[in-house]
Amino acid sequence: MKSYPTDHVRNILIVGHGGAGKTSLVEAVLHATGATNRIGRVEDGTTVTDFEPEETRKQISVSVAVAPVEHDGFKVNLLDAPGYADFVGDVRAALPAADAVLFVVSAVEGVETQTEVVWTMAEELGLPRAFFINKLDRDRASFARALDGIQAAFGKACPPLYLPIGEEHDFRGLVGLLSGRAFTYDNGARTEGDIPADLQEAASGLREQLIEAIIQESEDEDLMDRYLGGDEIAPTDLIPDLEQAVTAGHLFPVLAGAATRNIGVVELLEICTQAFPSPTQRPPVEGRRADPGGPLAAYVFKTISDPYVGRMNLFRVLSGTFLPDSTVFNPAKGKDERVGHLLTVRGKAQEPADEVVAGDIGAVAKLADTATGDTLCAKDAPVTLPAPSMPDPLLPIAIAPKSRGDEEKLSSGLGRTEAEDLTLRVERNPETKQTILWGMGENHIEVTLERLKRKYGVEVVQVPLLLPYKETFKTSAKALGRHVKQSGGHGQYGICNIEVEPLPRGGGFEFVDKIYGGAIPNQFIPSVEKGVRKAMEDGLVAGNPVVDVRVTLYDGKYHTVDSSDMAFQIAGGLAMKEAAAQAEMVLLEPVLELEVLIPDDYVGDILGDLSSRRGRVVGTDPVGTGRTLVRATAPEAEVIRYAIDLRSMTRGRGSFARRFSHYEELPPHMTAKLIAEAKARK
Ligand SMILES: Nc1nc2c(ncn2[C@@H]2O[C@H](COP(=O)(O)OP(=O)(O)OP(=O)(O)O)[C@@H](O)[C@H]2O)c(=O)[nH]1
Ligand SMILES: [Mg+2]
């Protein structure tokens, strides 16, 4: 594909709730512009933008994919984003690469949670937005209902540009409210005609509203005067004002169609080139304008790693011109990167690019250190573009390689996967010795594990997640540790008397030496302490470390020849075990602080649910816009899968944050259960 000048490039991120028809719409646009010669279907796994094996198997998009098309002298880069909440990290990362966002809304389901979630993100970035009401051919489709939903959620500045002709199985075309013409589709042929009689009244009413909205939101006073003076305004006069109102983020036009019937596609392309801004019309970022002659700054919105091809970074050039065979600087990593070929990618297909100018999107392979969210720039004019803020992954699972000996492969595969996916976190828990993968939800985790297998050949099994429980003494106990072996050769001799007392929570460990009169020689006292500590680390009842105790060494015996460091260490350990056997022992569990943000309607449900999880509510604060922040504490064991449960309780509209707070005693029946489980594991 040839290089287009900056003002003939458009970058449009296509978003919406899962299954609204984004990938199908991109597929239809690719076909309509001649980029493909047959239309793929999501169900058949043959679309351009759902090319990953995980996508074709699940028939959903899990990654953002690029699809450039050429239309009317423009290069339009469509970015097909995943809709499912689990993959919202890709949407976040891609938003700064776009100049406009198209929200695909199903005419059957209407506005759904992810539509609203992504709307808020796009609004924060001040991005121009528009809607596409899709699936108008489906049973129970309703344009009017979907439009009402859009206007209820996002305000009145969302006027339709088109009206559907027919609905459900009878949906066959669109009335252009600006052009005043009807376009009907029959077997792929598009015919222009007059507005059908039954739609004329509705169309003229909406046309008036649309013109008023455009003139008002573009703040064009000349046109306003003409309009109020009763002039008939030609559609071509309105296009610049429409573009201005959309670019300013004041007007969010609503398109309509059916992706899988190729209806509304030409109209969408028109909007892409005529109403969405060019990169040059967007405000500068960190002082950088879309000027091909300026110093290079490119934002990496997606890293795809592949063991055979290596790593590929998709980027958007903010300023300057990206050239092949160059050296660029990555300020976040403090590294120079050697650039070989540059590429234009479409789905999984790639072709070499001679240059990528400011405003355009391209790809570069085999950079050593660069990953999603990084900036690449000229070294003599360094700049770091704001990295996307990512949601915290809140669903932990414990994993292990299926076959022994794959540990190395697993950890290198995980490392690379983590670098390309900012919503994934890998943690090695030093206490439980487990590898923990934190993801956004079950689908995200499932896809991640599939990729590990496909790309790095390592099969992973999920194992029960162990929590870092602790053990402690609830009562004091005195105990004797005796390690004496004197038959034959060099003997071993160490005897110690200790007292173990509980300390308050958080008290840690204290060791008190109260040996009088040399009952144990000074050099062996640290040996006893070492043995005590070792026994505490290993656990005394269920294999968890012991905390919050004071151990007092108050007596003992030694032998001038047979006593040794090792003998006293063993005696110290034995004494601890004996003390645990005599005292009442308890387990301590980690308790988390939770902050749950939910729409007000859900407060009752959420409080009830928290109390059933042994949670304690600390406060509920209304935070405006119909939402409440619930602050609570709850044992970690009860909220491991809270990411999933909260999503289903609030239909995806709640979010939460979690933080370790403190340790608390476990109820006795649960202590007994964990001790039994630990014994069974041995
Ligand atoms: N009848 C009808 N079906 C459609 C239309 N658009 C999409 N579909 C179907 O809806 C399903 C979901 O379509 P996709 O294109 O995968 O939707 P998506 O928004 O990309 O989904 P995610 O990427 O997973 O969020 C598929 O089975 C499509 O065939 C349409 O206009 N009419
Ligand atoms: Mg999709």
Side-chain angles (χ1 to χ4, degrees):
M1 192 179 290
K2 66 172 197 189
S3 176
Y4 282 75
T6 300
D7 58 356
H8 280 64
V9 173
R10 296 291 181 271
N11 299 301
I12 293 145
L13 180 64
I14 306 200
V15 301
H17 201 79
K22 302 173 287 294
T23 300
S24 306
L25 188 58
V26 169
E27 194 65 21
V29 175
L30 282 163
H31 186 71
T33 52
T36 55
N37 47 28
R38 55 181 284 263
I39 301 188
R41 281 163 32 101
V42 173
E43 291 84 349
D44 301 339
T46 51
T47 62
V48 169
T49 50
D50 278 358
F51 61 85
E52 269 192 285
E54 291 73 28
E55 295 180 314
T56 49
R57 188 181 71 70
K58 292 177 84 80
Q59 297 183 11
I60 62 169
S61 305
V62 307
S63 297
V64 75
V66 188
V69 300
E70 296 172 285
H71 173 73
D72 201 16
F74 288 85
K75 178 181 182 190
V76 181
N77 292 310
L78 300 172
L79 300 174
D80 178 19
Y84 285 85
D86 276 28
F87 307 107
V88 76
D90 262 37
V91 181
R92 283 253 184 203
L95 279 163
D99 297 312
V101 185
L102 181 73
F103 290 79
V104 178
V105 173
S106 159
V108 181
E109 279 86 12
V111 171
E112 293 169 275
T113 309
Q114 282 308 106
T115 327
E116 300 188 44
V117 169
V118 180
W119 178 272
T120 309
M121 296 179 200
E123 193 171 37
E124 278 165 12
L125 294 172
L127 279 160
R129 281 148 273 165
F131 295 92
F132 188 97
I133 298 180
N134 188 36
K135 298 194 180 177
L136 280 163
D137 62 321
R138 281 266 306 264
D139 281 354
R140 290 178 295 111
S142 165
F143 178 78
R145 197 179 55 226
L147 182 64
D148 279 351
I150 288 170
Q151 293 180 339
F154 309 114
K156 286 283 170 206
C158 307
L161 288 179
Y162 296 91
L163 268 190
I165 303 174
E167 227 157 38
E168 303 183 295
H169 63 276
D170 190 35
F171 176 55
R172 59 187 185 281
L174 297 168
V175 167
L177 293 173
L178 281 185
S179 67
R181 303 296 291 160
F183 300 90
T184 45
Y185 290 78
D186 190 17
N187 269 331
R190 182 172 187 256
T191 327
E192 187 177 333
D194 293 335
I195 300 180
D198 61 331
L199 285 175
Q200 267 167 11
E201 200 183 316
S204 81
L206 287 170
R207 178 183 153 84
E208 290 301 303
Q209 288 175 22
L210 174 63
I211 293 174
E212 273 169 38
I214 292 174
I215 295 178
Q216 197 175 334
E217 299 305 340
S218 65
E219 292 158 11
D220 182 339
E221 290 182 7
D222 287 351
L223 207 60
M224 180 68 95
D225 290 344
R226 278 178 54 199
Y227 178 71
L228 293 177
D231 260 15
E232 181 64 25
I233 314 254
T236 42
D237 288 349
L238 285 162
I239 297 297
D241 288 55
L242 174 65
E243 178 174 15
Q244 195 186 323
V246 171
T247 301
H250 293 160
L251 193 79
F252 315 104
V254 180
L255 305 167
T260 47
R261 296 260 196 109
N262 304 314
I263 304 182
V265 176
V266 180
E267 291 77 5
L268 170 61
L269 277 163
E270 264 169 32
I271 292 305
C272 287
T273 56
Q274 293 180 12
F276 284 150
S278 92
T280 52
Q281 287 164 291
R282 300 272 303 137
V285 182
E286 299 292 310
R288 296 304 177 94
R289 298 191 162 278
D291 170 11
L296 177 70
Y299 164 76
V300 173
F301 63 91
K302 174 87 191 162
T303 304
I304 306 164
S305 58
D306 183 294
Y308 307 107
V309 185
R311 249 199 220 174
M312 188 165 76
N313 283 296
L314 302 178
F315 59 81
R316 146 86 190 247
V317 181
L318 261 291
S319 70
T321 299
F322 210 143
L323 294 172
D325 301 316
S326 59
T327 299
V328 294
F329 182 57
N330 179 336
K333 307 280 159 70
K335 292 263 171 68
D336 285 323
E337 290 274 25
R338 210 32 234 146
V339 175
H341 297 300
L342 292 181
L343 304 162
T344 300
V345 299
R346 176 183 287 144
K348 66 178 168 199
Q350 312 169 356
E351 60 178 71
D354 296 337
E355 59 171 17
V356 184
V357 298
D360 204 352
I361 281 172
V364 54
K366 299 198 165 67
L367 299 187
D369 297 294
T370 300
T372 310
D374 284 349
T375 303
L376 296 172
C377 60
K379 196 161 192 179
D380 54 2
V383 62
T384 307
L385 305 167
S389 72
M390 286 290 161
D392 276 332
L394 292 169
L395 180 65
I397 63 154
I399 55 168
K402 193 168 177 185
S403 28
R404 275 163 166 270
D406 268 1
E407 282 80 6
E408 195 67 11
K409 259 207 245 170
L410 175 62
S411 84
S412 86
L414 279 176
R416 287 200 250 174
T417 313
E418 197 182 11
E420 79 178 70
D421 181 348
L422 297 178
T423 56
L424 198 68
R425 199 153 301 147
V426 183
E427 174 198 327
R428 174 87 190 152
N429 188 311
E431 286 179 31
T432 61
K433 315 249 182 314
Q434 287 191 312
T435 300
I436 300 172
L437 195 61
W438 292 83
M440 299 289 294
E442 281 174 315
N443 277 320
H444 184 212
I445 300 243
E446 187 191 324
V447 164
T448 302
L449 299 188
E450 277 183 40
R451 279 190 188 137
L452 279 169
K453 182 175 168 197
R454 172 169 64 87
K455 295 185 177 181
Y456 306 104
V458 43
E459 271 196 74
V460 169
V461 287
Q462 196 172 330
V463 296
L465 180 75
L466 301 176
L467 289 181
Y469 292 104
K470 312 249 187 229
E471 303 175 2
T472 194
F473 284 67
K474 205 164 158 68
T475 56
S476 303
K478 287 188 170 176
L480 170 84
R482 183 174 189 279
H483 181 65
V484 178
K485 289 221 163 72
Q486 290 181 301
S487 51
H490 198 344
Q492 299 176 44
Y493 193 103
I495 294 178
C496 64
N497 295 77
I498 61 167
E499 176 171 19
V500 186
E501 298 159 275
L503 289 178
R505 273 308 69 75
F509 172 60
E510 283 176 24
F511 184 81
V512 183
D513 167 18
K514 278 205 182 150
I515 294 291
Y516 290 108
I520 297 177
N522 273 340
Q523 84 245 39
F524 294 134
I525 288 169
S527 310
V528 176
E529 180 176 350
K530 207 167 163 194
V532 165
R533 282 184 184 270
K534 174 79 173 66
M536 286 174 59
E537 270 166 38
D538 292 346
L540 295 170
V541 286
N544 307 287
V546 176
V547 295
D548 302 347
V549 289
R550 177 189 297 126
V551 175
T552 306
L553 174 62
Y554 64 91
D555 203 357
K557 286 201 181 99
Y558 78 105
H559 184 277
T560 38
V561 178
D562 291 342
S563 277
S564 64
D565 170 44
M566 190 45 74
F568 273 105
Q569 281 191 40
I570 295 173
L574 290 171
M576 278 309 278
K577 283 183 194 132
E578 177 59 25
Q582 295 192 13
E584 187 187 336
M585 299 294 290
V586 284
L587 288 184
L588 303 176
E589 62 176 340
V591 174
L592 303 181
E593 224 175 284
L594 297 179
E595 286 187 348
V596 191
L597 185 62
I598 41 170
D600 295 340
D601 307 352
Y602 294 106
V603 172
D605 290 356
I606 294 302
L607 295 187
D609 174 71
L610 281 171
S611 85
S612 75
R613 295 173 191 264
R614 299 189 284 131
R616 271 196 292 271
V617 174
V618 182
T620 55
D621 306 306
V623 291
T625 64
R627 293 186 304 169
T628 297
L629 184 71
V630 176
R631 286 175 294 113
T633 59
E636 184 170 8
E638 304 287 341
V639 291
I640 290 173
R641 294 170 64 80
Y642 200 57
I644 299 171
D645 301 340
L646 180 66
R647 191 183 284 175
S648 73
M649 283 186 290
T650 61
R651 303 176 66 214
R653 300 173 67 202
S655 60
F656 76 106
R658 48 174 275 171
R659 205 169 23 246
F660 170 75
S661 171
H662 61 277
Y663 273 91
E664 255 175 48
E665 243 177 66
L666 205 64
H669 70 279
M670 297 184 73
T671 294
K673 184 166 163 264
L674 283 174
I675 292 176
E677 278 174 18
K679 288 211 172 105
R681 269 203 302 278
K682 276 193 176 162

